[in-house]
């Protein structure tokens, strides 16, 4: 079985044991509603035909329409999309949004495509799946390798079949039915959860040393938020390389630099740093905000951080999780830590359906409230049941889905 799928199911069963879920209920909850796999063929700019495979897995709809991102990445395959769709079901339940879970993607490296090619694969993908998604069925959003522009193309193509339907997709540009604050939302949520975790341990955020892996949509906004809270981001890595500055990296300058340089590598005034060095850095907080599966049994032993905040989806493998637990590292799981994105996606969907626009202050205050309340629910549950935060989050999320399933019947 695919590694990420096995690891996700291991976490599921830990919580299912605490919830006393029957074997039949476990099978029902783990079995996806629908798995879609389609051909996405386009003509490339040079006139050649290129064929890609697109996926959409609709995992569970017991709590509402299914919700989750669209990932354009070469590692996308059926197992990965199923894993991520399942995570979305628990994630929307942890923050109590009226949604189920889904995920999709195309197995492609978007950096190898021109803007026109990216637009064509997006429109072609919509042509193939439009009947199975929609505002009351399944609502895609950005994920790795996709952004507001891709969502705008998705929306436009969907509307060619179904008329005006801006709520068919979220994460759209603010100028085209998108929400204020959606782009920063996942990173801001990671920042607020980091602050709440430190506060619960009576450690001030001001001066806390942080190592961050990834400077994309999630990592860069998390860095900005934490910098504004006076934390010290001392280490940062991305696809171009890594930087280290024990005095704290100047994040506003780095944001400008990365825009032109294409990444963080060689940012002036910093030493260079490898990914492995970053994961083992002597810091208070480690935030993996890039790919899944980065912490394994092999490198978890060297983690020196006291807190690990999962900004990426599935960055810690179960055997690494056990090692971290034994070392008393507090791990805040993805389904809580990075739920800010889908939360503001929900606000966007609500605004689209009500034809009423919220301002940034309102979006931020509603997001901060949901993140703080959800953190407290998970934290209290962890104390009550004497379990790690991940198990508590899974118990909360899976418990809600199981109850909705039981109440609704099959
Ligand atoms: N792709 C994001 C996630 O993994 C956001 C999903 C959404 O906004 O629907 O949570």
């Amino acid at each position: 079985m695919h590694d990420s799928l096995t690891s996700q199911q291991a976490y599921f069963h830990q919580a299912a044991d605490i919830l006393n879920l029957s074997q039949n209920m476990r099978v029902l909850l783990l079995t996806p509603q629908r798995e879609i796999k389609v051909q996405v063929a386009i003509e490339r700019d040079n006139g050649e035909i290129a064929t890609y495979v697109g996926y959409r897995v609709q995992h569970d709809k017991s709590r509402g329409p299914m919700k989750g991102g669209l990932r354009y990445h070469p590692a996308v395959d059926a197992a990965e999309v199923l894993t991520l769709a399942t995570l979305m079901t628990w994630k929307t339940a942890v923050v109590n949004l009226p949604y189920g879970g889904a995920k999709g993607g195309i197995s492609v490296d978007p950096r190898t495509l021109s803007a026109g090619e990216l637009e064509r694969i997006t429109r072609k993908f919509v042509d193939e799946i439009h009947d199975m998604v929609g505002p009351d069925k399944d609502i895609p959003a950005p994920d790795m390798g996709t952004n507001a522009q891709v969502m705008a193309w998705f929306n436009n193509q969907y509307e060619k079949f179904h008329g005006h339907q801006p709520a068919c997709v979220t994460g759209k540009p603010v100028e085209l039915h998108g929400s204020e604050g959606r782009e920063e939302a996942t990173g801001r949520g990671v920042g607020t959860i980091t602050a709440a975790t430190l506060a619960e341990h009576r450690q001030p955020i001001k001066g806390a040393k942080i190592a961050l892996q990834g400077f994309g949509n999630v990592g860069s906004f998390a860095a900005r938020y934490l910098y504004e809270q006076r934390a010290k981001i001392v280490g940062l890595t991305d696809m171009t390389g890594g930087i280290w500055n024990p005095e704290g990296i100047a994040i506003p300058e780095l944001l400008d630099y990365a825009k032109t340089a294409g990444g963080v590598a060689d940012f002036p005034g910093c030493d260079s740093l490898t990914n492995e060095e970053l994961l083992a850095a002597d810091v208070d907080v480690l935030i993996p905000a890039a790919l899944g599966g980065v912490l394994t049994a092999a490198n978890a032993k060297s983690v020196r951080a006291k807190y690990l905040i999962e900004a990426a989806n599935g960055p810690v493998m179960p055997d690494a999780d056990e090692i971290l637990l034994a070392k008393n590292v507090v791990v805040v799981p993805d389904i809580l830590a990075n739920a800010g994105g889908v939360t503001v996606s929900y606000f966007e969907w609500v605004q689209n359906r009500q034809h009423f626009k919220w301002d940034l202050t309102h979006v931020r205050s509603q997001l901060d409230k949901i993140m703080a309340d959800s953190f407290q629910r998970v934290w209290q549950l962890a104390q009550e049941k004497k379990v790690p935060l991940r198990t508590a989050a899974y118990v909360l999320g899976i418990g809600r889905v199981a109850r909705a399933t039981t109440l609704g019947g099959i």
Side-chain angles (χ1 to χ4, degrees):
M1 207 191 292
H2 196 278
D3 273 0
S4 63
L5 195 55
T6 327
S7 71
Q8 231 261 103
Q9 295 198 352
Y11 294 143
F12 172 86
H13 288 295
Q14 283 169 7
D17 288 344
I18 294 176
L19 288 162
N20 276 323
L21 294 186
S22 69
Q23 193 51 35
N24 292 346
M25 182 54 103
R26 294 179 195 216
V27 174
L28 177 62
L29 292 181
L30 285 175
T31 308
Q33 283 286 325
R34 174 152 64 181
E35 293 181 286
I36 304 162
K37 181 176 175 188
V38 293
Q39 179 201 76
V40 182
I42 59 156
E43 190 177 303
R44 295 207 63 172
D45 293 346
N46 64 8
E48 280 175 15
I49 290 173
T51 308
Y52 306 96
V53 180
Y55 303 87
R56 186 76 186 166
V57 173
Q58 300 175 330
H59 173 253
D60 190 278
K61 58 179 181 184
S62 57
R63 299 181 62 264
M66 294 169 284
K67 187 88 191 79
L70 267 190
R71 178 174 285 205
Y72 290 178
H73 191 275
V76 165
D77 62 19
E80 187 192 65
V81 179
L82 171 57
T83 304
L84 295 170
T86 311
L87 272 181
M88 285 309 302
T89 301
W90 316 143
K91 191 187 297 185
T92 53
V94 167
V95 285
N96 216 2
L97 307 177
Y99 285 142
K103 198 81 166 200
I106 301 178
S107 177
V108 63
D109 183 351
R111 290 169 309 171
T112 63
L113 300 181
S114 69
E117 290 167 340
L118 208 53
E119 176 173 355
R120 291 201 288 286
I121 62 164
T122 302
R123 290 187 185 278
K124 196 61 189 281
F125 187 50
V126 177
D127 289 348
E128 300 300 327
I129 67 165
H130 72 90
D131 267 338
M132 290 165 278
V133 295
D136 289 309
K137 292 182 191 165
D138 172 8
I139 308 111
D143 198 82
M144 276 170 66
T146 59
N147 55 21
Q149 173 64 79
V150 173
M151 300 307 121
W153 290 324
F154 191 107
N155 184 23
N156 183 274
Q157 193 67 11
Y158 183 86
E159 291 187 342
K160 288 183 179 161
F161 298 99
H162 303 276
H164 182 65
Q165 293 283 359
C168 74
V169 66
T170 59
K172 300 178 294 294
V174 176
E175 305 86 339
L176 197 69
H177 308 292
S179 177
E180 296 290 346
R182 173 61 186 85
E183 203 186 1
E184 67 173 24
T186 314
R188 183 181 178 89
V190 167
T192 57
I193 292 290
T194 305
T197 308
L198 291 174
E200 242 4 286
H201 292 88
R202 293 184 177 43
Q203 167 147 5
I205 181 110
K206 185 174 171 205
K209 285 191 284 170
I210 299 185
L212 187 60
Q213 183 189 42
F215 204 59
N217 177 261
V218 181
S220 65
F221 282 108
R224 197 184 72 177
Y225 182 89
L226 291 163
Y227 178 86
E228 283 166 3
Q229 303 295 312
R230 312 279 212 79
K232 264 192 197 172
I233 319 283
V234 293
L236 241 167
T237 57
D238 71 1
M239 278 182 309
T240 62
I243 53 175
W244 176 260
N245 183 345
E247 300 310 316
I249 299 164
I251 300 299
E253 284 79 9
L254 178 64
L255 286 164
D256 285 342
Y257 171 87
K259 251 181 237 152
T260 42
V264 304
D266 303 322
F267 180 58
C270 296
D271 293 329
S272 66
L273 172 86
T274 65
N275 244 318
E276 284 309 306
E277 286 167 342
L278 178 106
L279 297 176
D282 186 11
V283 290
D284 299 303
V285 187
L286 174 62
I287 308 182
L291 271 176
V294 291
L295 281 146
T296 62
N299 60 10
K301 290 189 282 294
S302 16
V303 168
R304 281 190 282 170
K306 296 191 267 307
Y307 311 96
L308 189 150
I309 315 291
E310 291 190 330
N313 285 314
V316 177
M317 302 304 278
D319 37 11
D321 206 42
E322 271 173 37
I323 295 169
L324 295 173
L325 186 63
K327 285 164 63 93
N328 285 324
V329 180
V330 175
V331 178
V332 184
D334 45 11
I335 54 173
L336 171 63
N338 72 24
V342 71
T343 300
V344 178
S345 273
Y346 166 62
F347 299 160
E348 182 175 328
W349 181 80
V350 167
Q351 292 170 71
N352 290 154
R353 308 202 88 178
Q354 298 189 334
H355 306 280
F356 184 81
K357 217 166 161 45
W358 300 4
D359 64 23
L360 181 60
T361 312
H362 187 57
V363 170
R364 283 180 170 171
S365 71
Q366 295 296 308
L367 169 65
D368 294 351
K369 182 176 179 339
I370 289 187
M371 296 308 287
D373 291 352
S374 305
F375 178 84
Q376 274 313 317
R377 283 297 279 254
V378 172
W379 180 263
Q380 298 303 336
L381 200 59
Q383 309 297 308
E384 218 175 275
K385 305 248 181 237
K386 298 192 174 29
V387 292
L389 291 170
R390 186 191 309 281
T391 313
Y394 270 70
V395 167
L396 180 63
I398 294 169
R400 281 178 172 156
V401 179
R403 277 192 298 283
T405 303
T406 308
L407 288 166
I410 48 169

